[in-house]
Amino acid sequence: MRTQPPVRPEPRTRTLAAPPSLVPLLARGALLSPLKRPRPDAPVPATRLVLSGVRVDLAHLAAYERVCGYATGADALPVTYPHVLAFPLAMRIMAGRAFPLPLLGLVHTSIEITRHQESAATEEYELGVMVEKLAPHRRGTEATVLTEARAHGSLVWESRSTYLARHRPRDQDRTARNAARGAPPETPRRASRRAPRGPSRGAPPETPRGIPPFASPEGPKPLPVVAEWCLAQDVGRRYGAVSGDRNPIHLHPLTARLFGFPRAIAHGMWSVARCLAEYGPRQAVGVRAEFRAPVLLPGTVTYAARGASFELRSGERVHLTGDVRPLGA
C-alpha cells in the first residue's frame, strides 16, 4: 500500500525579535545532519517564522549586486534579493530538529518567484518563512519552502524553493533487503487503464497565482547565445559571503567531494541571479527557474535567451532553464 503524505497542520506563527545568527545555525545543522533519515512521509515542521521591521543594508546590497552582476545604485531591489534577506529565517527552520532533511549536502533544485510590485531598497519589510510540503523525488526527498515579503501589510514578493536531500528511495531499500534475504524481487504492479484523477507524479508544480503558464524550456531549437562567462574558482565563496549560504559543496573542491561532486559547484541562486541580471530589470513579474545540472567551478558557461525564456549551459549540457513573465500577461 502506498504511504499517504501526512496531513499538514495549520502553521503556528512565531515572531522573532531579531534575525537569527547564521554561524551557530549552520553549525547546528551540520551536527544534526548525520542523525536525520530523510523520507517524504515525515512530519512537516508546523512553524512559520516571521521577522518584522527589516531594513536593507545598502552596503550589503551593493556587494550582492556586484557578485551577481546587477547594476548597482538602483533604488529597486533585485528580484532575487529578498531570498537573501529571508535566508536566516529559512536556515532557522532547516537547521532545526523538526526539519526532517539533513542540512549538509542539501541541493537547491528550483525556485518560483512572484514579484507583485517593485520593492524599494529603502522600504521596511516583514518576512515570513515556512516549509510548505515534502515530496518524493527520483533521487530522494524534496522540501518546498515558502518565503514571503510584505510592506505596509501588503504582499510584495513571494517565492517557493525546492531543496533535495539525495538518498535511495524506500522501494529500492526494500528491494535490497529482499535480495539480501534471498527473497524474490517484488513484481511491479500493473498500471491502471483508468485516467488519473489528479496530477501525475511527474507533473510540474502548480503555478503561483497571477503567473500565466510557462512554456516548456525544451524546444525544437536551442536558445541563441547572448553572453559567455568565465567563472572563477572562488565564485561559491564570494556568493556565500554575501548570501550567508556556506554549504560545503560550494566552498572548496575537498568539501564538495565529500558529497559526491568532483569540484565545488556554484550556488543555484547565484546562477539564476546572474541570468536575471543579464536578462534585464522588470517590475511585477513571475520567474521560474529549474536547476538541472551543477555548474562546476572553475568553468565557462554560456547564457542564452529568447523572448521569455533563458538558460545557462556549457556545450550541450544545460545547467539552468527559466522563464520571466510580466504578471497579468
Side-chain angles (χ1 to χ4, degrees):
M1 181 180 296
R2 182 176 298 173
T3 303
Q4 296 295 326
V7 177
R8 194 191 193 289
E10 284 296 320
R12 302 185 303 270
T13 298
R14 182 180 177 186
T15 303
L16 303 181
S21 177
L22 281 171
V23 174
L25 287 178
L26 293 172
R28 182 185 184 190
L31 291 174
L32 290 176
S33 289
L35 306 178
K36 296 185 177 182
R37 298 294 179 265
R39 66 183 198 276
D41 59 345
V44 178
T47 299
R48 178 177 181 268
L49 294 183
V50 173
L51 181 64
S52 302
V54 177
R55 290 280 186 178
V56 175
D57 182 329
L58 297 182
H60 179 269
L61 173 60
Y64 174 85
E65 290 170 333
R66 286 193 296 270
V67 170
C68 298
Y70 287 108
T72 59
D75 179 61
L77 295 178
V79 67
T80 51
Y81 190 72
H83 176 89
V84 173
L85 284 180
F87 184 71
L89 300 184
M91 285 298 99
R92 176 72 174 265
I93 292 177
M94 292 193 287
R97 291 184 179 275
F99 186 69
L101 308 184
L103 187 63
L104 286 181
L106 206 61
V107 178
H108 198 176
T109 52
S110 73
I111 186 167
E112 294 182 356
I113 297 173
T114 307
R115 181 160 70 177
H116 298 280
Q117 64 186 61
E118 197 170 73
S119 306
T122 54
E123 187 60 83
E124 183 177 284
Y125 295 99
E126 178 188 275
L127 305 175
V129 177
M130 60 179 281
V131 179
E132 196 169 51
K133 64 179 179 179
L134 297 176
H137 186 277
R138 61 188 177 86
R139 292 185 178 177
T141 299
E142 205 168 50
T144 300
V145 177
L146 171 64
T147 302
E148 297 174 325
R150 286 178 165 80
H152 304 290
S154 298
L155 182 66
V156 296
W157 186 97
E158 62 182 312
S159 74
R160 282 173 174 82
S161 285
T162 57
Y163 297 93
L164 173 66
R166 297 189 298 175
H167 63 90
R168 186 164 56 185
R170 297 181 71 183
D171 57 346
Q172 294 183 18
D173 290 335
R174 184 167 59 249
T175 301
R177 288 195 300 268
N178 290 342
R181 294 197 302 264
E186 296 183 5
T187 303
R189 295 182 180 180
R190 297 180 63 182
S192 173
R193 296 183 179 179
R194 293 181 298 176
R197 296 182 179 177
S200 65
R201 294 181 63 186
E206 293 182 0
T207 303
R209 290 172 298 179
I211 304 180
F214 290 91
S216 171
E218 298 179 358
K221 297 180 181 179
L223 301 179
V225 173
V226 176
E228 182 177 89
W229 304 322
C230 295
L231 309 183
Q233 187 173 3
D234 67 346
V235 166
R237 292 191 291 273
R238 290 169 56 215
Y239 183 80
V242 297
S243 68
D245 185 353
R246 292 183 171 86
N247 190 320
I249 62 178
H250 304 300
L251 303 182
H252 194 275
L254 293 179
T255 53
R257 288 189 196 114
L258 296 176
F259 299 95
F261 298 99
R263 303 198 301 273
I265 65 173
H267 295 73
M269 282 306 299
W270 177 87
S271 299
V272 71
R274 185 66 187 89
C275 288
L276 292 172
E278 189 74 24
Y279 190 93
R282 297 293 186 273
Q283 295 183 356
V285 295
V287 175
R288 188 163 112 187
E290 181 180 349
F291 309 116
R292 292 176 169 246
V295 176
L296 298 176
L297 301 172
T300 300
V301 294
T302 55
Y303 166 77
R306 181 194 297 117
S309 300
F310 65 88
E311 65 184 18
L312 194 67
R313 61 181 187 251
S314 54
E316 295 185 356
R317 190 180 195 193
V318 178
H319 300 287
L320 178 153
T321 60
D323 287 276
V324 180
R325 300 278 183 174
L327 295 188

